[in-house]
């Protein structure tokens, strides 16, 4: 049995478009140990959702996983038969999808949705089991009798979390689990997710835009840019000493009381996936760019503490821009 809850190697996903193949996920690799929380951040279109959905093999045409390996507690996801895959989903790896609140079935009570899940996996449900799951996300047992439209956004999101942990999966994938909620509820829901994840003993891949919010809940942060995982490191290291200029730009774009009013965001736009620069994809926006960057694609540089960054200069700290 693998010591990793999740192991991803050179995952590559492409979308067929009228203008050619768009590589939305480009040789992404990372491992999670049981109980570990990884936050995946990056600009819109950087490949976070595509990476997240690939972990459950939920990519639909025109998208296709064209290469790599995904293992959940050692089990090979990409080699699984349709029946094995059906059993794996929810039981080994569960999804809290982007816009999860609309993922609940509007014509079934919450309790019926739990019962359906248990029945699909040959497990016994029952009011007591459902009540315990609802309690684990801070909801009263009566919620089992409610239809989704009778619940607030935050409550619906908690039900989605309870459904995700119901079968005690090894891995939970949560795609922007709080983006539709107000700031106070966001924090409550994230705390609930972490508590449920800990109780289930699951590892979690949490996708989000807000690096500040993510930093409070994740053990490690992975930064995506143009389909590539450009940096992955423990939260403390990534904030204290980012090794990729894009990571530094993301950190500098966070609001800072001492620099009130002064927004130090990143100029320019991410490149089109159909027209990537030949070397480093970040070169057109990078304050540190040199000629080599425009011709030679940086591979991963392994750093102390299991950190990794894809920049030719990752071995040296990035100085403030
Ligand atoms: N159905 C599709 N057809 C064609 N291209 C797609 C499709 N879905 C995604 N893509 C491409 O894949 C890339 C990555 O998209 P993805 O949804 O993974 O980004 P994301 O990082 O989750 O963005 P966001 O923060 O907006 O949710 C995008 O640039 C997009 O062009
Ligand atoms: S490889 Fe060059 S362009 Fe790319 S991030 Fe590093 S310094 Fe910037
Ligand atoms: Mg997304």
């Amino acid at each position: 049995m693998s010591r990793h809850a999740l192991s991803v190697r050179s995952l590559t996903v492409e979308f067929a478009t009228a203008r050619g193949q768009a590589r939305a996920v480009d040789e992404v690799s990372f491992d999670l140990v049981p109980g570990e929380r990884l936050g995946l951040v990056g600009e819109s279109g950087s490949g976070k959702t595509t990476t997240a959905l690939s972990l459950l093999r939920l990519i639909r045409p025109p998208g296709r996983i064209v290469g790599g390996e995904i293992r959940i507690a050692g089990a090979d996801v990409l080699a699984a038969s349709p029946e094995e895959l059906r059993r794996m989903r929810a039981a080994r790896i569960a999804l809290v999808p982007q816009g999860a609140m609309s993922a609940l079935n509007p014509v079934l009570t919450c309790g019926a949705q739990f019962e359906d899940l248990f029945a699909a996996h040959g497990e016994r449900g029952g009011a007591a089991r459902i009540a315990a799951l609802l309690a684990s996300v801070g909801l009263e047992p009566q919620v089992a009798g409610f239809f989704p439209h009778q619940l607030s956004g935050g409550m619906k999101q908690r039900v989605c979390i309870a459904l995700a942990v119901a079968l005690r999966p090894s891995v939970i994938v949560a795609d922007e689990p709080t983006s539709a909620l107000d700031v106070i509820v966001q924090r409550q829901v994230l705390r609930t997710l972490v508590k449920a994840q800990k109780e289930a003993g699951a590892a979690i891949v949490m996708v989000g835009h807000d690096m500040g919010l993510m930093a409070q809940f994740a053990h490690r942060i992975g930064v995506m840019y143009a389909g590539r995982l450009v940096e992955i490191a423990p939260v403390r290291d990534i904030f204290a000493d980012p090794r990729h200029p894009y990571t530094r730009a993301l950190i500098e774009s966070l609001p800072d009381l001492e620099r009130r009013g002064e927004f130090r965001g990143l100029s320019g736009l991410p490149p089109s996936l159909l027209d990537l620069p030949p070397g480093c994809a970040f070169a057109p926006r990078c304050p540190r760019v040199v000629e080599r960057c425009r011709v030679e694609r940086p591979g991963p540089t392994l750093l102390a503490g299991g950190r990794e960054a894809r920049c030719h200069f990752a071995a040296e700290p990035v100085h403030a821009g």
Side-chain angles (χ1 to χ4, degrees):
M1 179 115 160
S2 164
R3 75 179 188 88
H4 289 127
L6 175 67
S7 181
V8 179
R9 286 281 153 275
S10 301
L11 176 66
T12 302
V13 184
E14 291 183 350
F15 285 94
T17 75
R19 289 186 47 225
Q21 293 294 115
R23 188 164 277 203
V25 177
D26 195 353
E27 304 217 346
V28 164
S29 301
F30 62 90
D31 295 308
L32 291 186
V33 295
E36 192 177 14
R37 297 191 290 275
L38 174 72
L40 213 48
V41 299
E43 279 161 298
S44 187
S46 58
K48 305 181 296 296
T49 295
T50 309
T51 301
L53 294 181
S54 301
L55 302 179
L56 295 101
R57 252 173 75 187
L58 283 172
I59 299 295
R60 301 272 170 258
R64 196 165 70 86
I65 297 174
V66 297
E69 190 178 75
I70 300 166
R71 287 183 181 272
I72 298 163
D76 189 336
V77 175
L78 298 185
S81 68
E83 177 51 25
E84 284 166 340
L85 194 59
R86 191 191 69 76
R87 274 190 269 125
M88 258 183 202
R89 290 187 190 142
R92 282 182 180 247
I93 180 163
L95 177 69
V96 182
Q98 191 163 10
M101 290 184 274
S102 51
L104 292 172
N105 186 334
V107 300
L108 289 182
T109 62
C110 295
Q113 312 204 27
F114 282 96
E115 292 294 5
D116 275 1
L117 178 70
F118 293 135
H121 291 271
E123 293 202 12
R124 284 164 67 98
R129 187 171 181 190
I130 294 170
L133 282 163
L134 290 172
S136 77
V137 295
L139 294 175
E140 300 293 326
Q142 303 85 283
V143 170
F146 291 175
F147 288 92
H149 72 265
Q150 295 173 292
L151 305 175
S152 70
M155 288 167 85
K156 274 189 265 196
Q157 196 62 305
R158 285 166 191 261
V159 172
C160 289
I161 293 168
L163 281 164
V165 298
L167 300 175
R168 299 184 72 82
S170 307
V171 180
I172 300 167
V173 179
D175 191 359
E176 311 234 16
T178 62
S179 57
L181 305 171
D182 69 60
V183 181
I184 307 277
V185 183
Q186 259 184 9
R187 274 171 213 282
Q188 288 170 351
V189 168
L190 274 183
R191 258 185 233 120
T192 305
L193 180 58
V194 168
K195 180 172 161 281
Q197 165 259 337
K198 277 186 187 162
E199 281 173 13
I204 187 164
V205 179
M206 209 181 329
V207 171
H209 272 103
D210 185 337
M211 193 154 171
L213 187 68
M214 206 52 103
Q216 297 177 31
F217 295 94
H219 297 120
R220 278 194 298 160
I221 300 261
V223 179
M224 291 198 71
Y225 188 81
R228 301 169 189 176
L229 186 64
V230 295
E231 181 154 13
I232 183 163
V235 169
R236 190 174 306 195
D237 296 343
I238 216 162
F239 276 86
D241 179 22
R243 291 302 176 96
H244 195 285
Y246 178 62
T247 312
R248 174 166 281 281
L250 283 184
I251 293 168
E252 289 187 346
S253 69
L254 291 172
D256 181 338
L257 282 180
E258 283 167 26
R259 289 186 274 124
R260 224 178 331 182
E262 181 196 350
F263 177 69
R264 301 176 30 150
L266 186 61
S267 61
L269 290 171
S272 157
L273 295 178
L274 292 166
D275 194 19
L276 286 178
C280 175
F282 190 56
R285 300 168 86 187
C286 182
R288 206 181 195 185
V289 60
V290 297
E291 202 40 44
R292 178 185 172 199
C293 308
R294 301 192 197 279
V295 287
E296 192 186 326
R297 185 176 159 166
T301 300
L302 299 177
L303 301 160
R307 311 182 50 171
E308 235 180 272
R310 284 178 184 256
C311 168
H312 292 308
F313 306 107
E316 307 151 28
V318 190
H319 298 293

